[in-house]
Each structure stands twice: as C-alpha cells, then as structure tokens.
Amino acid sequence: MSRPQLNRHLMLEQETQVPDGAGGFLREWQVLGAHWGEIKAGSGREAAGAGTPLSRTSYRITLRAAPISSDARPKAGQRFRGHGRVYAIQAVAEMDATGRYLICHAIEETVT
C-alpha cells in the first residue's frame, strides 16, 4: 500500500448553536483545527433540495490519525472546509491495522 499524498489543507469544523437574541439559536461553525489530507472522489448523483437540484458527491479523505479522545480527531457530524469547498463527514475509520492514517467518508453538496 502506498503512502497517501497529504497535499490538501483542510480546516476541521464543528457545528455550534449561539443565541440569536430573539429566544432562538443560530447555527455557526467553530474551527477545531487544521489537517493536511488526500481527497479522492467517489460516486456522485443528483438529489432534490428545497426546490433546487443538488449534486451530491462522496469523497474519501485520508489524513494522519489522532487519538480517539483528541479534539483533533474528526467525527461524524463535523465537516472539513478547504479551497472554497465543504465536505460533511459521514463516518471515520482507521485506514489499516497500523492506525497511522484515518479515512473520513464525506459528502459534498453543490447546487447544479
């Protein structure tokens, strides 16, 4: 197995809720840290979204591993942002038995 080419700078973000001043909440994304990763596109499809067609593409994002207890370790529900794109993380697993790299399965949605 060849070593991944970690050549894409990505910011790991987590959704937070902040008061909107009217008794409700706004959704904001808090930056947790930066990673260098390799991004490989998977399958794509068209999906309907609020009256607008969306393009949904799956990705495998490989990055250096972090301990399970670390805030630097990505989790489902978080996202990566980089180069004007947003990748919603669906699942995270070790790449192999050595545990040196993680594979993040992510989805990118764009308006078509």
Side-chain angles (χ1 to χ4, degrees), residues 5-27:
Q5 299 297 311
L6 307 180
N7 58 5
R8 299 286 298 272
H9 189 252
L10 301 165
M11 301 304 292
L12 178 62
E13 300 178 336
Q14 179 171 303
E15 184 178 12
T16 60
Q17 291 185 349
V18 295
D20 66 1
F25 293 93
L26 296 173
R27 180 173 95 168

Side-chain angles (χ1 to χ4, degrees), residues 8-11 39 80-87 108:
R8 299 286 298 272
H9 189 252
L10 301 165
M11 301 304 292
I39 300 175
F80 288 116
R81 179 184 292 276
H83 304 278
R85 301 171 79 173
V86 176
Y87 307 95
E108 178 189 34

